[in-house]
Amino acid sequence: MSETGPDLRIDRPAETVPQLVVRRVRQAILEGTLSPGRRLTERELMELTGVSRTSIREAVRHLQALGLVEMSGRKGVRVAVLGSDDVRQLYEVRAALESEAASLFVQRATDTEILELVKLTRPGKSDDDQLSSIYHFDELLLAGARNALLASTLAPLHARIHALRRLSLTIPGRRERSEQEYRDLVAAITDRDADRAAQLARQHVDAAKDAALAAIAKLEEERASGA
């Protein structure tokens, strides 16, 4: 024991149990393991994760706040199913905020952060690697913009948008166009052209919205026909 008293400090884990559940469920949604409309009861989530009912309930509340799950009857939730109107509104808000984030990134990011964006947009990635790169691209863009309020507003939108990306990339040619849009955006950022970066960011989001709407329409048609 030291002269100042015993050391009773406890190393706190980086994440709580509910936070771990949120991360695992969110990742499963992004990977497509848990598809839109998939029903999840408390009992199933407890069995899948091996954690208590209390932790599951707290995690579900956070997932609902992120818009990743929604209520499904009295006994559980389901992975959120976004309709065309939901998608349109989501991307309209994203276009306004993300174009501003791109402009602020140009003005405030370091050269090292810009180089990181360049690395993330290099061609030749698999679908999973591309999705992972996009996820990190969004994180780095918000970090470099250095606006905490903008980041906290966009973060929950990104959670819902990432869940749509795997679906929208099924539209023929969308993956290739998306990769080029990101490379064009990074070129404008590298040139430190804030206005051009904002314009390209908005154009990218508009194109992504069209692809997402097309994918949702196709999915709704398949459901209606019983496919």
Side-chain angles (χ1 to χ4, degrees), residues 107-165:
Q107 299 170 55
R108 298 172 178 174
T110 65
D111 290 341
T112 299
E113 287 171 324
I114 290 177
L115 287 175
E116 287 300 314
L117 286 189
V118 172
K119 292 177 184 178
L120 289 172
T121 56
R122 286 173 179 165
K125 295 182 176 68
S126 66
D127 286 349
D128 286 340
D129 286 342
Q130 185 190 15
L131 287 168
S132 177
S133 293
I134 291 172
Y135 179 84
H136 292 302
F137 186 102
D138 289 342
E139 285 188 325
L140 185 55
L141 190 74
L142 289 180
R146 288 172 174 73
N147 184 309
L149 181 58
L150 179 64
S152 65
T153 304
L154 256 177
L157 297 184
H158 278 160
R160 302 175 76 183
I161 287 164
H162 287 310
L164 284 168
R165 280 200 171 111

Side-chain angles (χ1 to χ4, degrees), residues 39 60 64 69-80:
R39 193 161 175 269
V60 166
Q64 284 181 278
V69 302
E70 56 193 12
M71 293 304 298
S72 176
R74 296 182 178 179
K75 296 184 178 180
V77 296
R78 68 175 183 175
V79 179

Side-chain angles (χ1 to χ4, degrees), residues 28-183:
I29 292 172
L30 299 185
E31 292 174 350
T33 307
L34 295 176
S35 57
R38 170 75 151 76
R39 193 161 175 269
L40 296 165
T41 64
E42 282 186 358
R43 180 177 294 278
E44 182 184 14
L45 286 171
M46 290 169 63
E47 292 173 352
L48 289 173
T49 60
V51 305
S52 70
R53 187 182 301 273
T54 300
S55 293
I56 289 297
R57 288 180 174 174
E58 185 176 340
V60 166
R61 284 195 293 270
H62 189 64
L63 289 164
Q64 284 181 278
L66 290 173
L68 293 177
V69 302
E70 56 193 12
M71 293 304 298
S72 176
R74 296 182 178 179
K75 296 184 178 180
V77 296
R78 68 175 183 175
V79 179
V81 179
L82 297 179
S84 297
D85 287 342
D86 300 314
V87 172
R88 187 176 292 106
Q89 292 174 31
L90 190 61
Y91 277 84
E92 285 172 353
V93 175
R94 179 193 173 196
L97 296 180
E98 206 158 287
S99 58
E100 181 63 18
S103 176
L104 291 175
F105 186 93
V106 168
Q107 299 170 55
R108 298 172 178 174
T110 65
D111 290 341
T112 299
E113 287 171 324
I114 290 177
L115 287 175
E116 287 300 314
L117 286 189
V118 172
K119 292 177 184 178
L120 289 172
T121 56
R122 286 173 179 165
K125 295 182 176 68
S126 66
D127 286 349
D128 286 340
D129 286 342
Q130 185 190 15
L131 287 168
S132 177
S133 293
I134 291 172
Y135 179 84
H136 292 302
F137 186 102
D138 289 342
E139 285 188 325
L140 185 55
L141 190 74
L142 289 180
R146 288 172 174 73
N147 184 309
L149 181 58
L150 179 64
S152 65
T153 304
L154 256 177
L157 297 184
H158 278 160
R160 302 175 76 183
I161 287 164
H162 287 310
L164 284 168
R165 280 200 171 111
R166 189 175 295 275
L167 186 61
S168 64
L169 288 177
T170 63
I171 299 299
R174 178 58 198 154
R175 171 180 169 167
E176 293 76 17
R177 288 192 297 272
S178 176
E179 288 177 339
Q180 187 59 53
E181 288 160 10
Y182 274 107
R183 286 194 290 271

Side-chain angles (χ1 to χ4, degrees), residues 186-206:
V186 168
I189 290 173
T190 302
D191 291 340
R192 295 284 185 176
D193 188 335
D195 291 340
R196 179 64 174 159
Q199 179 188 18
L200 289 170
R202 181 175 286 273
Q203 289 175 0
H204 165 69
V205 174
D206 287 341

Side-chain angles (χ1 to χ4, degrees), residues 15-29:
E15 293 179 296
T16 65
V17 172
Q19 287 172 336
L20 284 169
V21 174
V22 169
R23 182 160 61 84
R24 297 286 175 84
V25 173
R26 178 175 174 172
Q27 189 62 35
I29 292 172

